[in-house]
Amino acid sequence: MQAEVKDWPEPVWTCWNHWIAVPTGDQAGIMDVLGLSSPRPITFAEAREVIDADGHGDPDDFRHLSRVFVTPEVDGWTLVIGAWCDPCDRARQEDVLRLCEALSACYGGAQAYYYGAQGDGSAWLVAEHGRVIRRYAATGEPEDELLTLGESLPQEQAKCLELGLPADGDLRSAGDEQIEAWKWAAFDLAPEIAASYGVSPFTLTQETRVQGTGVLALTPTGEVSRWR
């Protein structure tokens, strides 16, 4: 698979979306922190097809965690896209937390997101200067509550106030209808939070400032699977 000489940013949008966002154009440095290897050039359009195909693979097959798309610098940010970046997956959540802490120690900040475009919920993790300040999942799974860390983000607080809930998200005094309203609002909140912090993979356009070349890279999982 060869990337075209000229490539234009375009949305990377699939049924299940997982990504890490870092406020830097240091693609090589990010790959080093994450332990990514064997990069090869790829266009945005090709990357979307690859990530979409991986997302529709068997979730119990570790190979769907074997590769990610690392964008060129887009409006001052680099995105790492693929299921391996999932901040709420039981097998990946603590590793993703640790990696975002490491990235934020190097670059000041890092975030990880999940968004299910078929109504499958959202999750977000925000790290600053080496520590996670917020992690929250709204996917309808029983384990969601166990993932919650830190205080509500401004975007969460605004949504709560919009629904007539306390800004801190404390639902103990809320009625059933309010709780249900928050549940559905939170399901769709990851793209909004991502865009407010910096760059979302869903809003990339030909007007996005870009520098460098996107690559498809092997994750540590993919590196191990290559030799099996």
Side-chain angles (χ1 to χ4, degrees):
M1 183 167 17
Q2 295 293 325
E4 299 173 3
V5 173
K6 289 186 177 181
D7 184 29
W8 303 104
E10 60 180 74
V12 182
W13 178 285
T14 66
C15 292
W16 299 280
N17 304 274
H18 318 83
W19 71 99
I20 292 173
V22 192
T24 179
D26 185 10
Q27 186 187 67
I30 291 172
M31 291 179 59
D32 185 57
V33 172
L34 297 179
L36 305 179
S37 61
S38 304
R40 51 172 172 151
I42 190 171
T43 66
F44 282 86
E46 291 170 331
R48 186 181 66 250
E49 292 181 6
V50 168
I51 298 303
D52 189 43
D54 287 352
H56 284 87
D58 183 354
D60 294 323
D61 185 342
F62 65 87
R63 285 176 294 185
H64 85 291
L65 302 174
S66 66
R67 53 189 181 175
V68 291
F69 172 45
V70 187
T71 69
E73 181 179 347
V74 285
D75 283 343
W77 288 69
T78 300
L79 307 179
V80 183
I81 305 172
W84 186 78
C85 302
D86 190 349
C88 62
D89 177 76
R90 281 180 292 178
R92 293 288 307 142
Q93 60 195 32
E94 293 311 312
D95 193 33
V96 172
L97 184 150
R98 177 184 60 80
L99 291 170
C100 284
E101 287 179 330
L103 286 168
S104 73
C106 291
Y107 302 108
Q111 300 115 43
Y113 298 95
Y114 161 70
Y115 178 64
Q118 306 298 319
D120 296 316
S122 288
W124 49 90
L125 182 156
V126 178
E128 293 181 355
H129 306 294
R131 69 181 187 91
V132 169
I133 64 168
R134 182 60 164 165
R135 181 173 68 179
Y136 190 87
T139 68
E141 295 295 328
E143 296 85 0
D144 281 354
E145 290 185 6
L146 301 177
L147 288 176
T148 302
L149 295 171
E151 301 297 325
S152 298
L153 299 174
Q155 299 83 2
E156 296 175 64
Q157 296 171 12
K159 187 63 67 174
C160 283
L161 291 174
E162 181 183 313
L163 298 172
L165 294 167
D168 62 4
D170 187 343
L171 303 180
R172 288 176 294 182
S173 62
D176 291 342
E177 290 186 4
Q178 288 178 307
I179 293 173
E180 189 70 8
W182 165 251
K183 169 188 169 183
W184 288 110
F187 260 43
D188 288 329
L189 204 50
E192 181 179 329
I193 292 174
S196 67
Y197 267 96
V199 173
S200 162
F202 309 146
T203 58
L204 299 172
T205 69
Q206 291 192 14
E207 283 69 50
T208 301
R209 291 181 293 107
V210 61
Q211 183 172 343
T213 301
V215 297
L216 190 69
L218 289 180
T219 68
T221 304
E223 189 65 38
V224 170
S225 69
R226 208 167 51 147
W227 302 106
R228 291 189 176 182

